[in-house]
Structures are given as structure tokens and as C-alpha cells.
Amino acid sequence: MQPPGTGAQFYNYQGFYSIILMAVVNSNYEFIYVDVGKNGRLSDGGVIECTEFYKSLKEEKSQIPNNDDTVNNLNFVFLGDEVFALHEHILKPYKGSIKTTVI
């Protein structure tokens, strides 16, 4: 059931009404950021771009540790869904398969 007065705004591509919850969880399985309430009609990639988290990430205001502060001077990244846009601090799964040739 959709929120009152919203029409089809919360009707998603899977054929039912939904509200999106976007969250960031640390390595201890603790929620460190939660955004809830975007309409189900938006894509996952579109939802992240509407959050304060993404805005602070793009404007470099998110207080992410420097590479010098990480093990082996590696870049600090967030693991995201394959629909998210690539960013210096967003890592997403490799889409597609690697084809090999046997000689």
C-alpha cells in the first residue's frame, strides 16, 4: 500500500509499492549512516545521488582517512551495488565475465 496522496510515485519496477532504505555499515556490522524514505520508483543509482552521504563524498567533506592512515597506504573505499557510479571512494563489483582462450 502506498503512502496516502502519492499516486504511483512509490510504485517500483517489480510491480509493488516500496520505500527505499539506503545505509552504510562499517566492518563491525554497525550502521554509520541511514537514509530512508525515497520513493520506490527511483533506481538504486539515483537514490544514492540524492543522499547527504553522497553529497559529502563528492564535495570531499566526509572526513575519510588519508591513504597514509590505512594499511599499506590503500585508498579507503565503500563497497557498493553495481548500479552505483564509480567514484574514488566507491568500489563496485566487476560487471561481466572474463573470457579466456585455451591454446
Side-chain angles (χ1 to χ4, degrees):
M1 183 171 189
Q2 78 267 29
T6 60
Q9 195 174 20
F10 285 80
Y11 196 74
N12 66 32
Y13 70 94
Q14 294 176 328
F16 58 90
Y17 293 95
S18 62
I19 295 173
I20 299 173
L21 177 134
M22 183 74 61
V24 177
V25 180
N26 67 16
S27 61
N28 294 321
Y29 307 105
E30 300 166 329
F31 286 88
I32 59 173
Y33 175 83
V34 176
D35 182 288
V36 65
K38 302 292 187 286
N39 70 62
R41 209 169 172 83
L42 292 172
S43 68
D44 290 345
V47 170
I48 193 170
E49 292 177 4
C50 296
T51 63
E52 288 298 317
F53 167 76
Y54 190 75
K55 181 180 175 183
S56 68
L57 195 62
K58 287 204 60 135
E59 294 175 359
E60 299 180 10
K61 295 180 180 177
S62 41
Q63 301 176 356
I64 295 175
N66 293 325
N67 292 8
D68 300 345
D69 299 333
T70 63
V71 177
N72 298 323
N73 294 326
L74 296 175
N75 191 17
F76 188 88
V77 297
F78 295 92
L79 299 177
D81 192 275
E82 66 184 22
V83 299
F84 294 161
L86 281 175
H87 182 275
E88 177 184 3
H89 295 292
I90 296 179
L91 185 66
K92 63 183 199 171
Y94 174 75
K95 188 175 181 178
S97 61
I98 300 174
K99 295 182 180 180
T100 58
T101 304
V102 178
I103 299 178

